[in-house]
Amino acid sequence: MTKVRKAIIPAAGLGTRFLPATKAMAKEMLPIVDKPTIQFIVEEAINSGIEDILIITGKSKRPIEDHFDSNIELEQNLREKEKFELLELVEETIGLNLFFVRQSYPKGLGDAVLHAKAFVGNEPFVVMLGDDIMDDEVPLTKQLMDRYEKTHASNIAVMRVPHEDTSKYGIIDPEAQIDDGLFNVKQFVEKPEPKDAPSDLAIIGRYLLTPEIFEILENQEPGAGNEVQLTDAIDNLNKIQRVFAHEFKGQRYDVGDKFGFMKTSIQYGLKHTQVKDELRQYIKDLAKDLEAEDNEKAIEEIEEVLKEKVEEEKNKKQ
Ligand code: G1P
């Protein structure tokens, strides 16, 4: 059986949800406390035993390449000033087996993945989306690789989401659960409205795929949003070979929208050795202030209603 050695990280999206910050900067470089989101993804790949990583980039994405390259001037400066801890942090991101290819037009996730065809060749591989940061004892990518070792088949990470959110995700129509958290799948549907969603099990940005997906992607018609959807190609792959869904039970942080990004920053801040104590105290104090503010507002509203009532009574009597 071929070992899973390669991962691809699509990073060509325009990041419109974070404008104006992403006008001239890659959204993948936005930091969670002090680490760019894409570094979390690369670390998950490496901690899972992935050897080669292809990042699919586009316009304004040069900082991603620079981030994973050496910066001789900076390194020299840190060495001279004996800032060895910082030097270590900077050096951690150098010398990885990273490759880059550009997607020239935003034609969808399916099209982005198709750009990895030559890199992947005839091997199973992993797709990791940058909007989802995963936290679990065993990295999610490794969980998918372990499933592959047993099933020799594609498997896609899924997680339950609130029913009203199905239109934000690829959703599966699960068949039998064949092992703890492993499902056969009847259908994969991209972004169905809640009324049409076959379940609440959503695709969450980690895929282990067999190379047969490329032939399908080459002929895949645009789907939802008029883009070539990876979910549609996976649904077609499932018609010729088994594609399983693996339910993720760890913690998922969605850094793809503003509120998710803010929540993730707070959660990681509360674990970060340099800021966790201060941040915890700040949040507690802030919560008290907000509570007091809300109470004050509520009292003012009640007073206002009472005043109106008194006024009404007065008018009636006159
Ligand atoms: C993409 C996929 C979708 C998946 C989601 C996970 O959507 O198309 O199937 O559920 O990622 O984050 P996007 O968030 O890029 O719109």
Side-chain angles (χ1 to χ4, degrees), residues 109 129 132 169-170 190-191 203 205 207 229 231:
L109 180 59
L129 303 189
D132 295 296
Y169 298 96
E190 181 67 3
K191 305 203 168 103
I203 298 172
Y207 311 72
Q229 296 295 349
T231 304

Side-chain angles (χ1 to χ4, degrees), residues 17 27 109 129 131-132 168-171 189-191 202-207 227 229-231 252 254:
R17 275 180 265 186
K27 77 164 177 182
L109 180 59
L129 303 189
D131 282 348
D132 295 296
K168 295 184 192 159
Y169 298 96
I171 300 288
V189 195
E190 181 67 3
K191 305 203 168 103
I203 298 172
I204 49 160
R206 298 291 182 277
Y207 311 72
E227 292 186 342
Q229 296 295 349
L230 183 59
T231 304
R252 165 179 176 256
D254 179 3

Side-chain angles (χ1 to χ4, degrees), residues 76-314:
Q76 213 164 354
N77 184 290
L78 293 174
R79 209 168 283 124
E80 276 163 17
K81 293 191 173 143
E82 301 191 353
K83 294 187 171 170
F84 296 117
E85 267 180 37
L86 288 180
L87 182 64
E88 209 175 295
L89 277 184
V90 168
E91 284 176 343
E92 261 173 25
T93 54
I94 305 170
L96 309 171
N97 277 346
L98 293 186
F99 302 81
F100 296 88
V101 67
R102 271 187 178 225
Q103 183 192 26
S104 302
Y105 299 99
K107 289 196 214 158
L109 180 59
D111 178 69
V113 171
L114 187 53
H115 281 65
K117 187 178 179 216
F119 168 81
V120 168
N122 200 25
E123 297 180 21
F125 66 105
V126 174
V127 177
M128 307 174 76
L129 303 189
D131 282 348
D132 295 296
I133 294 180
M134 309 297 187
D135 197 9
D136 205 355
E137 249 163 70
V138 176
L140 176 53
T141 294
K142 177 77 169 58
Q143 293 177 23
L144 297 182
M145 289 160 73
D146 290 344
R147 289 288 196 198
Y148 179 79
E149 266 190 25
K150 291 196 186 122
T151 61
H152 302 188
S154 300
N155 59 93
I156 315 297
V158 296
M159 198 171 195
R160 287 193 192 280
V161 294
H163 187 65
E164 63 272 20
D165 286 349
T166 57
S167 63
K168 295 184 192 159
Y169 298 96
I171 300 288
I172 67 161
D173 186 357
E175 221 163 20
Q177 180 158 189
I178 50 168
D179 193 358
D180 181 31
L182 192 70
F183 297 86
N184 269 319
V185 181
K186 261 184 263 174
Q187 212 192 349
F188 295 82
V189 195
E190 181 67 3
K191 305 203 168 103
E193 290 302 323
K195 65 175 175 31
D196 305 319
S199 78
D200 296 340
L201 283 168
I203 298 172
I204 49 160
R206 298 291 182 277
Y207 311 72
L208 194 152
L209 295 166
T210 54
E212 285 76 17
I213 194 76
F214 291 117
E215 224 183 283
I216 297 173
L217 279 171
E218 273 167 338
N219 301 303
Q220 188 65 51
E221 294 293 326
N226 203 25
E227 292 186 342
V228 178
Q229 296 295 349
L230 183 59
T231 304
D232 296 344
I234 291 170
D235 191 52
N236 284 326
L237 183 66
N238 193 33
K239 289 173 188 155
I240 55 168
Q241 49 175 245
R242 290 173 310 167
V243 179
F244 296 108
H246 163 83
E247 188 175 358
F248 180 53
K249 299 197 174 129
Q251 181 68 42
R252 165 179 176 256
Y253 297 100
D254 179 3
V255 295
D257 72 56
K258 290 188 187 85
F259 186 50
F261 186 88
M262 289 167 78
K263 281 197 286 188
T264 310
S265 300
I266 291 172
Q267 293 289 351
Y268 273 87
L270 288 169
K271 292 187 206 162
H272 191 289
T273 41
Q274 278 167 0
V275 295
K276 63 179 182 191
D277 296 336
E278 257 177 301
L279 180 63
R280 174 176 284 275
Q281 194 52 51
Y282 174 71
I283 292 171
K284 282 185 183 169
D285 293 345
L286 183 64
K288 273 188 218 149
D289 289 351
L290 293 176
E291 193 69 42
E293 220 175 83
D294 284 354
N295 287 341
E296 219 168 280
K297 234 188 247 162
I299 290 170
E300 271 170 26
E301 275 167 18
I302 292 170
E303 280 174 351
E304 199 58 41
V305 172
L306 286 177
K307 235 198 235 163
E308 277 170 21
K309 279 258 166 344
V310 171
E311 218 37 59
E312 262 177 40
E313 289 301 316
K314 249 197 214 162

